Amino acid sequence: MRLPFLPIRIKIMVSVLFVVTAVVSVITFTMANLFHEDKRAYINDLASIVTLNTAQECHALLVGYRERLQAYARIIDRQELPQEEKAALLKGLFEDFPALVAVSQYKDGLEVATAVDERALAEAGLAKEAIEEQRRGDPLPFDRIQAGDVFVENSTLTPKLPTLTLAIRDVSASGAGSTTISAIVRLDDLLAITRRSGVFDISVTDSSGQLLAHPEVGRVAGKETIALRPEVVALDARHSAGITLEYLRNGARTIGGFAPVGFGGLFAVAEIPKAAAYLASRDLLNRLLLVALGLLLASAVAGLVWSRRITRPMEILSRATGEVAKGRFDIQVQVKSQDEIGTLASSFNHMASELKDRESALHEAQAQLVQSEKLAAVGQLGAGIAHEVKNPLAGILGCAQLSLRDAPQGTLLAKNLQLIEKETKRCKMIIENLLKFARQEKTILEPTDINRVVEDAIAIVLHQLELNQVKVLKDLAPGLPQIRGNANQLQQVFMNLMINAQHAMEGGAGTVTLSTLPSGQDRVEVRVTDTGPGIPEEIQKRIFEPFFTTKPTGKGTGLGLSVSYGIVKDHGGEIRSESPPGKGATFVITLPVLTDAVNHQAPDLPAVINLT
Ligand code: ADP
């Protein structure tokens, strides 16, 4: 399957996001998990501590109640005690035990005496009969109350006076049956214990799960029951420290600690809804997720910025490559990075400037080709005309010379004939030049010493140049390799250049310097430099054209340089002019040296180079 086109920077950003997401997810979930585990252990511990504390406090409170009643039972059971003293004792019990609402004494299951705090009942809007009525409707289960045992139950009649009934049975000291003391006690102290925690919902139940104490008195008065699971009921009051359970309470998951109070089968319960218990850990998870999201966002932005930094130079390079493909080779890329892209950019720049150089070389070669074609065309035309004109001209010259012999000296006829002879000779010379230019004869090249050719050429024109105050200097490099050349033709080239230099100086004093030097490994260079006015820039391109001359009619033919150009080309060389303004003219001729490997060509490189 092919992926759709995506810019590199998007790919880098996606990779960064992928890595960051993986790392952040692992960290987030590990941290959340650890925190959750820690929190769970903490909540469980806390639930069991709160439950155990509650159980201990309840135990201490109820044991205190029981001891008071036991002490009272022993005294009241004494037969020898007069009735008035018993009444005084009972009164003292109410003073000593302010939570006491009513107390009854039973002998072998039969009520013997009852004392009631009527004021407390009245404050709660109850009459003494209400208690009797309740006891009748719900008699004490004497068969279940064993000797030394306690019986506890919720005996609340109104929310205004929440109470519990505490019954103890004591075998009579006199041995005459058993005495049961039943007390109705206010629940205020027990309720206070259940109100201590602001986090846990604490309650105290009897063995059947009926609420005995709970911060909401209404629930106690309503005698609500909470279901105790079998593992709670099975808790051994003496050995078990309690358990923590997780269960559903009114449809909500709840964590609850249960511990036996160790008194009358009561249980202390501390509950907390799971949602509330894990509020902090959920909050932490939410924060972690937020941080993770922030991190992802930040890394997306950072990824984009970073990838843009990486891909920007590539985009520049890609655009530049497009420009090069369109033929703009003068383009250069500015990439400052020191990495592989920087290297690529400098290679690109190198390639572009190389292409530029080659393109200008190509243009020059094309121009030279055009020039050569032009010269060839003119050469053919000129050769044709010269051939036709050469013979009649020879006739005219012969006739003029013959007639001159017979013409009397100093006459007009003689003068005219001399003029005809002179001008015909000039025409002959032009025609000879034209024929040389067309070069229908084949140039024979042979090993030639270029310094020798230069010296011969100087020797021929030296006299003429010196007559015109032009000095000829030479600076010839010794030991130059031989060239393949035609000495006569090359001599003519150097003579043309020296005579042109002399003409350029227009009778003024000056120098012409001829120098030879090696050029590269397989060429020699001849430079002809003069101190004349130089060649104006606007005509530099035209001087090698045939018949181009700036000299007045009759003085120049415009063939000297074009003939020289043709000769040099025939030698496989180059001729060019250099004429910086005000510095005279220099003609540079480069010629290939004689070598065994002239025709040897290096094998082409393969078009595709495999880099392994
Ligand atoms: P001709 O000498 O007959 O004019 P050439 O082909 O030899 O023809 O020269 C062409 C033109 O090149 C000259 O007319 C002249 O303007 C220019 N020229 C050649 N050599 C020089 C030089 N050394 N200094 C200045 N101009 C030159």
Side-chain angles (χ1 to χ4, degrees), residues 496-505 528 530 532-536 539 542-551 555-564 579 584-587:
N496 278 347
L497 296 177
M498 284 188 280
I499 288 167
N500 272 351
Q502 181 229 312
H503 285 167
M505 288 177 234
V528 181
D530 64 51
I535 308 164
I539 65 162
R542 304 192 57 202
I543 54 174
F544 293 106
E545 286 178 13
F547 304 111
F548 175 81
T549 179
T550 56
K551 293 170 190 168
K555 273 219 150 188
T557 58
L559 286 172
L561 285 182
S562 53
V563 167
S564 303
S579 189
T586 298
F587 284 86

mmCIF file of all heavy atoms in Angstrom, residues 496-505 528 530 532-536 539 542-551 555-564 579 584-587, ligand 1:
data_model
loop_
_atom_site.group_PDB
_atom_site.id
_atom_site.type_symbol
_atom_site.label_atom_id
_atom_site.label_comp_id
_atom_site.label_asym_id
_atom_site.label_seq_id
_atom_site.Cartn_x
_atom_site.Cartn_y
_atom_site.Cartn_z
ATOM 1 N N ASN A 496 52.210 39.657 -38.988
ATOM 2 C CA ASN A 496 50.949 40.429 -39.048
ATOM 3 C C ASN A 496 50.719 41.174 -37.738
ATOM 4 O O ASN A 496 50.377 42.360 -37.731
ATOM 5 C CB ASN A 496 49.755 39.477 -39.243
ATOM 6 C CG ASN A 496 49.569 39.085 -40.697
ATOM 7 O OD1 ASN A 496 50.162 39.706 -41.579
ATOM 8 N ND2 ASN A 496 48.760 38.061 -40.938
ATOM 9 N N LEU A 497 50.906 40.450 -36.623
ATOM 10 C CA LEU A 497 50.610 41.060 -35.325
ATOM 11 C C LEU A 497 51.566 42.208 -35.028
ATOM 12 O O LEU A 497 51.153 43.249 -34.516
ATOM 13 C CB LEU A 497 50.677 39.997 -34.205
ATOM 14 C CG LEU A 497 49.623 38.888 -34.311
ATOM 15 C CD1 LEU A 497 49.829 37.859 -33.196
ATOM 16 C CD2 LEU A 497 48.206 39.462 -34.215
ATOM 17 N N MET A 498 52.864 42.015 -35.379
ATOM 18 C CA MET A 498 53.842 43.079 -35.109
ATOM 19 C C MET A 498 53.567 44.295 -35.987
ATOM 20 O O MET A 498 53.617 45.435 -35.511
ATOM 21 C CB MET A 498 55.264 42.546 -35.334
ATOM 22 C CG MET A 498 55.734 41.653 -34.191
ATOM 23 S SD MET A 498 57.469 41.199 -34.334
ATOM 24 C CE MET A 498 57.424 39.880 -35.500
ATOM 25 N N ILE A 499 53.221 44.087 -37.247
ATOM 26 C CA ILE A 499 52.953 45.221 -38.158
ATOM 27 C C ILE A 499 51.679 45.950 -37.723
ATOM 28 O O ILE A 499 51.614 47.177 -37.702
ATOM 29 C CB ILE A 499 52.891 44.727 -39.621
ATOM 30 C CG1 ILE A 499 54.329 44.386 -40.047
ATOM 31 C CG2 ILE A 499 52.299 45.775 -40.545
ATOM 32 C CD1 ILE A 499 54.443 43.620 -41.321
ATOM 33 N N ASN A 500 50.648 45.170 -37.287
ATOM 34 C CA ASN A 500 49.429 45.796 -36.758
ATOM 35 C C ASN A 500 49.757 46.680 -35.570
ATOM 36 O O ASN A 500 49.212 47.776 -35.425
ATOM 37 C CB ASN A 500 48.432 44.719 -36.303
ATOM 38 C CG ASN A 500 47.528 44.278 -37.445
ATOM 39 O OD1 ASN A 500 47.539 44.900 -38.518
ATOM 40 N ND2 ASN A 500 46.765 43.226 -37.221
ATOM 41 N N ALA A 501 50.681 46.186 -34.686
ATOM 42 C CA ALA A 501 51.051 46.963 -33.501
ATOM 43 C C ALA A 501 51.717 48.265 -33.927
ATOM 44 O O ALA A 501 51.412 49.334 -33.398
ATOM 45 C CB ALA A 501 51.984 46.135 -32.619
ATOM 46 N N GLN A 502 52.594 48.154 -34.898
ATOM 47 C CA GLN A 502 53.286 49.366 -35.379
ATOM 48 C C GLN A 502 52.282 50.359 -35.969
ATOM 49 O O GLN A 502 52.322 51.540 -35.690
ATOM 50 C CB GLN A 502 54.331 48.968 -36.420
ATOM 51 C CG GLN A 502 55.118 50.144 -36.976
ATOM 52 C CD GLN A 502 55.157 50.115 -38.494
ATOM 53 O OE1 GLN A 502 55.445 49.087 -39.103
ATOM 54 N NE2 GLN A 502 54.854 51.249 -39.120
ATOM 55 N N HIS A 503 51.299 49.838 -36.740
ATOM 56 C CA HIS A 503 50.258 50.707 -37.336
ATOM 57 C C HIS A 503 49.466 51.384 -36.242
ATOM 58 O O HIS A 503 49.108 52.549 -36.337
ATOM 59 C CB HIS A 503 49.326 49.883 -38.234
ATOM 60 C CG HIS A 503 49.957 49.523 -39.539
ATOM 61 N ND1 HIS A 503 49.427 48.587 -40.406
ATOM 62 C CD2 HIS A 503 51.100 49.959 -40.142
ATOM 63 C CE1 HIS A 503 50.206 48.455 -41.450
ATOM 64 N NE2 HIS A 503 51.240 49.297 -41.323
ATOM 65 N N ALA A 504 49.169 50.590 -35.161
ATOM 66 C CA ALA A 504 48.330 51.137 -34.090
ATOM 67 C C ALA A 504 49.016 52.318 -33.418
ATOM 68 O O ALA A 504 48.357 53.239 -32.946
ATOM 69 C CB ALA A 504 48.038 50.046 -33.058
ATOM 70 N N MET A 505 50.365 52.287 -33.379
ATOM 71 C CA MET A 505 51.080 53.390 -32.736
ATOM 72 C C MET A 505 51.194 54.613 -33.636
ATOM 73 O O MET A 505 51.652 55.675 -33.206
ATOM 74 C CB MET A 505 52.457 52.911 -32.274
ATOM 75 C CG MET A 505 52.322 51.986 -31.064
ATOM 76 S SD MET A 505 53.896 51.361 -30.577
ATOM 77 C CE MET A 505 53.629 49.642 -30.574
ATOM 78 N N VAL A 528 51.810 38.617 -27.870
ATOM 79 C CA VAL A 528 52.354 39.783 -28.595
ATOM 80 C C VAL A 528 51.692 41.006 -27.984
ATOM 81 O O VAL A 528 50.492 41.223 -28.144
ATOM 82 C CB VAL A 528 52.058 39.680 -30.106
ATOM 83 C CG1 VAL A 528 52.650 40.874 -30.842
ATOM 84 C CG2 VAL A 528 52.608 38.376 -30.670
ATOM 85 N N ASP A 530 51.679 45.208 -27.227
ATOM 86 C CA ASP A 530 52.227 46.503 -27.667
ATOM 87 C C ASP A 530 51.837 47.604 -26.703
ATOM 88 O O ASP A 530 51.015 47.400 -25.811
ATOM 89 C CB ASP A 530 51.754 46.825 -29.095
ATOM 90 C CG ASP A 530 50.256 47.003 -29.184
ATOM 91 O OD1 ASP A 530 49.692 47.780 -28.388
ATOM 92 O OD2 ASP A 530 49.629 46.345 -30.058
ATOM 93 N N GLY A 532 50.567 50.426 -27.695
ATOM 94 C CA GLY A 532 49.681 51.316 -28.452
ATOM 95 C C GLY A 532 48.416 51.655 -27.679
ATOM 96 O O GLY A 532 48.329 51.416 -26.478
ATOM 97 N N PRO A 533 47.413 52.193 -28.392
ATOM 98 C CA PRO A 533 46.190 52.652 -27.706
ATOM 99 C C PRO A 533 45.258 51.505 -27.301
ATOM 100 O O PRO A 533 44.281 51.725 -26.597
ATOM 101 C CB PRO A 533 45.522 53.532 -28.757
ATOM 102 C CG PRO A 533 45.984 52.970 -30.059
ATOM 103 C CD PRO A 533 47.374 52.447 -29.836
ATOM 104 N N GLY A 534 45.539 50.270 -27.761
ATOM 105 C CA GLY A 534 44.647 49.145 -27.444
ATOM 106 C C GLY A 534 43.486 49.073 -28.420
ATOM 107 O O GLY A 534 43.338 49.930 -29.302
ATOM 108 N N ILE A 535 42.640 48.069 -28.268
ATOM 109 C CA ILE A 535 41.517 47.885 -29.196
ATOM 110 C C ILE A 535 40.238 48.293 -28.475
ATOM 111 O O ILE A 535 39.924 47.741 -27.422
ATOM 112 C CB ILE A 535 41.421 46.403 -29.640
ATOM 113 C CG1 ILE A 535 42.795 45.946 -30.163
ATOM 114 C CG2 ILE A 535 40.349 46.204 -30.694
ATOM 115 C CD1 ILE A 535 42.949 44.450 -30.262
ATOM 116 N N PRO A 536 39.495 49.246 -29.015
ATOM 117 C CA PRO A 536 38.251 49.662 -28.345
ATOM 118 C C PRO A 536 37.317 48.450 -28.163
ATOM 119 O O PRO A 536 37.249 47.577 -29.030
ATOM 120 C CB PRO A 536 37.635 50.681 -29.310
ATOM 121 C CG PRO A 536 38.748 51.114 -30.193
ATOM 122 C CD PRO A 536 39.727 49.984 -30.260
ATOM 123 N N ILE A 539 34.803 47.061 -30.817
ATOM 124 C CA ILE A 539 35.199 46.362 -32.056
ATOM 125 C C ILE A 539 35.926 45.046 -31.767
ATOM 126 O O ILE A 539 36.236 44.294 -32.693
ATOM 127 C CB ILE A 539 36.062 47.255 -32.991
ATOM 128 C CG1 ILE A 539 37.409 47.576 -32.320
ATOM 129 C CG2 ILE A 539 35.328 48.518 -33.401
ATOM 130 C CD1 ILE A 539 38.445 48.046 -33.331
ATOM 131 N N ARG A 542 34.835 41.974 -33.437
ATOM 132 C CA ARG A 542 34.777 41.924 -34.903
ATOM 133 C C ARG A 542 36.141 41.854 -35.576
ATOM 134 O O ARG A 542 36.208 41.658 -36.802
ATOM 135 C CB ARG A 542 34.030 43.156 -35.419
ATOM 136 C CG ARG A 542 32.645 43.298 -34.821
ATOM 137 C CD ARG A 542 31.844 44.336 -35.554
ATOM 138 N NE ARG A 542 31.757 44.026 -36.967
ATOM 139 C CZ ARG A 542 31.495 44.930 -37.915
ATOM 140 N NH1 ARG A 542 31.295 46.187 -37.572
ATOM 141 N NH2 ARG A 542 31.449 44.580 -39.189
ATOM 142 N N ILE A 543 37.208 42.044 -34.808
ATOM 143 C CA ILE A 543 38.517 42.205 -35.471
ATOM 144 C C ILE A 543 38.951 40.974 -36.263
ATOM 145 O O ILE A 543 39.751 41.086 -37.183
ATOM 146 C CB ILE A 543 39.629 42.612 -34.472
ATOM 147 C CG1 ILE A 543 39.689 41.623 -33.319
ATOM 148 C CG2 ILE A 543 39.450 44.039 -33.990
ATOM 149 C CD1 ILE A 543 40.845 41.883 -32.365
ATOM 150 N N PHE A 544 38.424 39.767 -35.898
ATOM 151 C CA PHE A 544 38.846 38.565 -36.632
ATOM 152 C C PHE A 544 37.989 38.313 -37.865
ATOM 153 O O PHE A 544 38.184 37.345 -38.572
ATOM 154 C CB PHE A 544 38.807 37.342 -35.694
ATOM 155 C CG PHE A 544 39.839 37.421 -34.590
ATOM 156 C CD1 PHE A 544 39.475 37.697 -33.291
ATOM 157 C CD2 PHE A 544 41.196 37.225 -34.880
ATOM 158 C CE1 PHE A 544 40.428 37.775 -32.289
ATOM 159 C CE2 PHE A 544 42.141 37.303 -33.875
ATOM 160 C CZ PHE A 544 41.768 37.587 -32.566
ATOM 161 N N GLU A 545 36.984 39.196 -38.065
ATOM 162 C CA GLU A 545 36.144 39.017 -39.259
ATOM 163 C C GLU A 545 36.933 39.443 -40.494
ATOM 164 O O GLU A 545 37.668 40.437 -40.457
ATOM 165 C CB GLU A 545 34.883 39.889 -39.157
ATOM 166 C CG GLU A 545 33.876 39.349 -38.173
ATOM 167 C CD GLU A 545 32.670 40.267 -38.069
ATOM 168 O OE1 GLU A 545 32.514 41.159 -38.931
ATOM 169 O OE2 GLU A 545 31.897 40.079 -37.103
ATOM 170 N N PRO A 546 36.765 38.707 -41.602
ATOM 171 C CA PRO A 546 37.470 39.103 -42.821
ATOM 172 C C PRO A 546 36.994 40.475 -43.302
ATOM 173 O O PRO A 546 35.803 40.784 -43.190
ATOM 174 C CB PRO A 546 37.076 38.025 -43.835
ATOM 175 C CG PRO A 546 36.295 37.009 -43.100
ATOM 176 C CD PRO A 546 35.955 37.514 -41.756
ATOM 177 N N PHE A 547 37.910 41.272 -43.817
ATOM 178 C CA PHE A 547 37.642 42.619 -44.364
ATOM 179 C C PHE A 547 37.228 43.628 -43.307
ATOM 180 O O PHE A 547 36.782 44.710 -43.634
ATOM 181 C CB PHE A 547 36.583 42.575 -45.496
ATOM 182 C CG PHE A 547 36.970 41.643 -46.593
ATOM 183 C CD1 PHE A 547 36.262 40.467 -46.806
ATOM 184 C CD2 PHE A 547 38.077 41.932 -47.400
ATOM 185 C CE1 PHE A 547 36.626 39.597 -47.800
ATOM 186 C CE2 PHE A 547 38.449 41.051 -48.403
ATOM 187 C CZ PHE A 547 37.731 39.878 -48.611
ATOM 188 N N PHE A 548 37.332 43.255 -42.016
ATOM 189 C CA PHE A 548 37.049 44.278 -41.014
ATOM 190 C C PHE A 548 38.325 45.062 -40.755
ATOM 191 O O PHE A 548 39.356 44.505 -40.377
ATOM 192 C CB PHE A 548 36.551 43.662 -39.699
ATOM 193 C CG PHE A 548 36.374 44.713 -38.636
ATOM 194 C CD1 PHE A 548 35.213 45.499 -38.616
ATOM 195 C CD2 PHE A 548 37.375 44.984 -37.711
ATOM 196 C CE1 PHE A 548 35.064 46.505 -37.674
ATOM 197 C CE2 PHE A 548 37.228 45.986 -36.764
ATOM 198 C CZ PHE A 548 36.059 46.753 -36.748
ATOM 199 N N THR A 549 38.218 46.369 -41.012
ATOM 200 C CA THR A 549 39.395 47.231 -40.763
ATOM 201 C C THR A 549 38.937 48.594 -40.299
ATOM 202 O O THR A 549 37.827 49.028 -40.627
ATOM 203 C CB THR A 549 40.256 47.362 -42.031
ATOM 204 O OG1 THR A 549 41.368 48.217 -41.738
ATOM 205 C CG2 THR A 549 39.476 47.947 -43.200
ATOM 206 N N THR A 550 39.771 49.214 -39.476
ATOM 207 C CA THR A 550 39.462 50.591 -39.072
ATOM 208 C C THR A 550 40.419 51.546 -39.780
ATOM 209 O O THR A 550 40.394 52.742 -39.547
ATOM 210 C CB THR A 550 39.622 50.756 -37.546
ATOM 211 O OG1 THR A 550 40.943 50.354 -37.179
ATOM 212 C CG2 THR A 550 38.598 49.962 -36.761
ATOM 213 N N LYS A 551 41.261 50.959 -40.643
ATOM 214 C CA LYS A 551 42.257 51.797 -41.323
ATOM 215 C C LYS A 551 41.624 52.426 -42.564
ATOM 216 O O LYS A 551 40.663 51.889 -43.123
ATOM 217 C CB LYS A 551 43.464 50.943 -41.721
ATOM 218 C CG LYS A 551 44.219 50.458 -40.489
ATOM 219 C CD LYS A 551 45.273 49.434 -40.798
ATOM 220 C CE LYS A 551 45.792 48.826 -39.514
ATOM 221 N NZ LYS A 551 46.599 47.657 -39.726
ATOM 222 N N LYS A 555 44.862 51.539 -47.081
ATOM 223 C CA LYS A 555 45.883 51.216 -46.075
ATOM 224 C C LYS A 555 45.701 49.822 -45.506
ATOM 225 O O LYS A 555 46.652 49.062 -45.377
ATOM 226 C CB LYS A 555 45.839 52.244 -44.938
ATOM 227 C CG LYS A 555 46.689 53.456 -45.205
ATOM 228 C CD LYS A 555 47.378 53.896 -43.936
ATOM 229 C CE LYS A 555 48.707 54.562 -44.213
ATOM 230 N NZ LYS A 555 49.444 54.812 -42.995
ATOM 231 N N GLY A 556 44.431 49.474 -45.178
ATOM 232 C CA GLY A 556 44.210 48.154 -44.570
ATOM 233 C C GLY A 556 43.264 47.330 -45.404
ATOM 234 O O GLY A 556 42.370 47.872 -46.057
ATOM 235 N N THR A 557 43.489 46.010 -45.406
ATOM 236 C CA THR A 557 42.591 45.128 -46.166
ATOM 237 C C THR A 557 41.580 44.451 -45.239
ATOM 238 O O THR A 557 40.596 43.889 -45.680
ATOM 239 C CB THR A 557 43.390 44.016 -46.859
ATOM 240 O OG1 THR A 557 44.099 43.288 -45.862
ATOM 241 C CG2 THR A 557 44.346 44.601 -47.859
ATOM 242 N N GLY A 558 41.864 44.439 -43.940
ATOM 243 C CA GLY A 558 40.969 43.749 -42.984
ATOM 244 C C GLY A 558 41.108 42.252 -43.077
ATOM 245 O O GLY A 558 40.231 41.517 -42.612
ATOM 246 N N LEU A 559 42.243 41.782 -43.662
ATOM 247 C CA LEU A 559 42.407 40.331 -43.791
ATOM 248 C C LEU A 559 43.481 39.770 -42.865
ATOM 249 O O LEU A 559 43.507 38.575 -42.584
ATOM 250 C CB LEU A 559 42.756 39.984 -45.245
ATOM 251 C CG LEU A 559 41.579 40.088 -46.212
ATOM 252 C CD1 LEU A 559 42.072 39.915 -47.639
ATOM 253 C CD2 LEU A 559 40.533 39.040 -45.894
ATOM 254 N N GLY A 560 44.372 40.634 -42.352
ATOM 255 C CA GLY A 560 45.510 40.168 -41.555
ATOM 256 C C GLY A 560 45.098 39.263 -40.401
ATOM 257 O O GLY A 560 45.594 38.139 -40.271
ATOM 258 N N LEU A 561 44.175 39.750 -39.573
ATOM 259 C CA LEU A 561 43.791 38.967 -38.385
ATOM 260 C C LEU A 561 42.966 37.742 -38.746
ATOM 261 O O LEU A 561 43.086 36.689 -38.121
ATOM 262 C CB LEU A 561 43.026 39.845 -37.383
ATOM 263 C CG LEU A 561 43.892 40.834 -36.592
ATOM 264 C CD1 LEU A 561 43.044 41.625 -35.596
ATOM 265 C CD2 LEU A 561 44.989 40.104 -35.833
ATOM 266 N N SER A 562 42.099 37.869 -39.777
ATOM 267 C CA SER A 562 41.278 36.698 -40.119
ATOM 268 C C SER A 562 42.150 35.597 -40.726
ATOM 269 O O SER A 562 41.934 34.409 -40.465
ATOM 270 C CB SER A 562 40.106 37.072 -41.035
ATOM 271 O OG SER A 562 40.584 37.766 -42.138
ATOM 272 N N VAL A 563 43.207 35.999 -41.500
ATOM 273 C CA VAL A 563 44.132 34.997 -42.024
ATOM 274 C C VAL A 563 44.863 34.337 -40.858
ATOM 275 O O VAL A 563 44.974 33.104 -40.766
ATOM 276 C CB VAL A 563 45.127 35.655 -43.016
ATOM 277 C CG1 VAL A 563 46.286 34.714 -43.323
ATOM 278 C CG2 VAL A 563 44.413 36.050 -44.296
ATOM 279 N N SER A 564 45.325 35.177 -39.912
ATOM 280 C CA SER A 564 46.038 34.641 -38.744
ATOM 281 C C SER A 564 45.141 33.675 -37.971
ATOM 282 O O SER A 564 45.578 32.605 -37.523
ATOM 283 C CB SER A 564 46.454 35.785 -37.808
ATOM 284 O OG SER A 564 47.247 36.702 -38.527
ATOM 285 N N SER A 579 42.628 43.419 -24.256
ATOM 286 C CA SER A 579 42.975 44.829 -24.357
ATOM 287 C C SER A 579 42.315 45.621 -23.249
ATOM 288 O O SER A 579 41.289 46.265 -23.456
ATOM 289 C CB SER A 579 42.548 45.348 -25.731
ATOM 290 O OG SER A 579 43.058 46.645 -25.920
ATOM 291 N N GLY A 584 47.298 49.210 -23.970
ATOM 292 C CA GLY A 584 47.802 48.577 -25.187
ATOM 293 C C GLY A 584 47.048 47.312 -25.502
ATOM 294 O O GLY A 584 46.134 46.929 -24.792
ATOM 295 N N ALA A 585 47.459 46.655 -26.593
ATOM 296 C CA ALA A 585 46.762 45.434 -27.001
ATOM 297 C C ALA A 585 47.683 44.249 -26.815
ATOM 298 O O ALA A 585 48.903 44.356 -26.965
ATOM 299 C CB ALA A 585 46.328 45.547 -28.457
ATOM 300 N N THR A 586 47.096 43.117 -26.450
ATOM 301 C CA THR A 586 47.862 41.873 -26.353
ATOM 302 C C THR A 586 47.118 40.811 -27.144
ATOM 303 O O THR A 586 45.893 40.669 -26.991
ATOM 304 C CB THR A 586 47.997 41.414 -24.894
ATOM 305 O OG1 THR A 586 48.714 42.409 -24.175
ATOM 306 C CG2 THR A 586 48.741 40.100 -24.795
ATOM 307 N N PHE A 587 47.852 40.107 -27.998
ATOM 308 C CA PHE A 587 47.267 38.967 -28.697
ATOM 309 C C PHE A 587 47.891 37.719 -28.100
ATOM 310 O O PHE A 587 49.115 37.635 -27.954
ATOM 311 C CB PHE A 587 47.518 39.049 -30.194
ATOM 312 C CG PHE A 587 46.610 40.059 -30.850
ATOM 313 C CD1 PHE A 587 46.964 41.404 -30.901
ATOM 314 C CD2 PHE A 587 45.392 39.669 -31.395
ATOM 315 C CE1 PHE A 587 46.117 42.332 -31.479
ATOM 316 C CE2 PHE A 587 44.541 40.601 -31.976
ATOM 317 C CZ PHE A 587 44.898 41.936 -32.023
HETATM 318 P P1 ADP B 1 44.061 45.612 -41.213
HETATM 319 O O1 ADP B 1 45.325 45.636 -40.462
HETATM 320 O O2 ADP B 1 44.232 45.533 -42.665
HETATM 321 O O3 ADP B 1 43.083 46.665 -40.787
HETATM 322 P P2 ADP B 1 43.576 43.337 -39.605
HETATM 323 O O4 ADP B 1 42.641 42.193 -39.771
HETATM 324 O O5 ADP B 1 44.986 43.009 -39.452
HETATM 325 O O6 ADP B 1 43.292 44.279 -40.847
HETATM 326 O O7 ADP B 1 43.140 44.215 -38.410
HETATM 327 C C1 ADP B 1 41.764 44.530 -38.227
HETATM 328 C C2 ADP B 1 41.646 45.701 -37.284
HETATM 329 O O8 ADP B 1 42.037 45.328 -35.988
HETATM 330 C C3 ADP B 1 42.503 46.847 -37.532
HETATM 331 O O9 ADP B 1 41.955 47.711 -38.536
HETATM 332 C C4 ADP B 1 42.607 47.563 -36.209
HETATM 333 O O10 ADP B 1 41.511 48.410 -36.013
HETATM 334 C C5 ADP B 1 42.535 46.459 -35.287
HETATM 335 N N1 ADP B 1 43.858 46.105 -34.749
HETATM 336 C C6 ADP B 1 44.623 45.052 -35.096
HETATM 337 N N2 ADP B 1 45.766 45.016 -34.367
HETATM 338 C C7 ADP B 1 45.691 46.063 -33.524
HETATM 339 C C8 ADP B 1 46.567 46.561 -32.483
HETATM 340 N N3 ADP B 1 47.753 45.993 -32.174
HETATM 341 N N4 ADP B 1 46.191 47.686 -31.807
HETATM 342 C C9 ADP B 1 45.011 48.286 -32.102
HETATM 343 N N5 ADP B 1 44.127 47.837 -33.037
HETATM 344 C C10 ADP B 1 44.480 46.744 -33.752
#
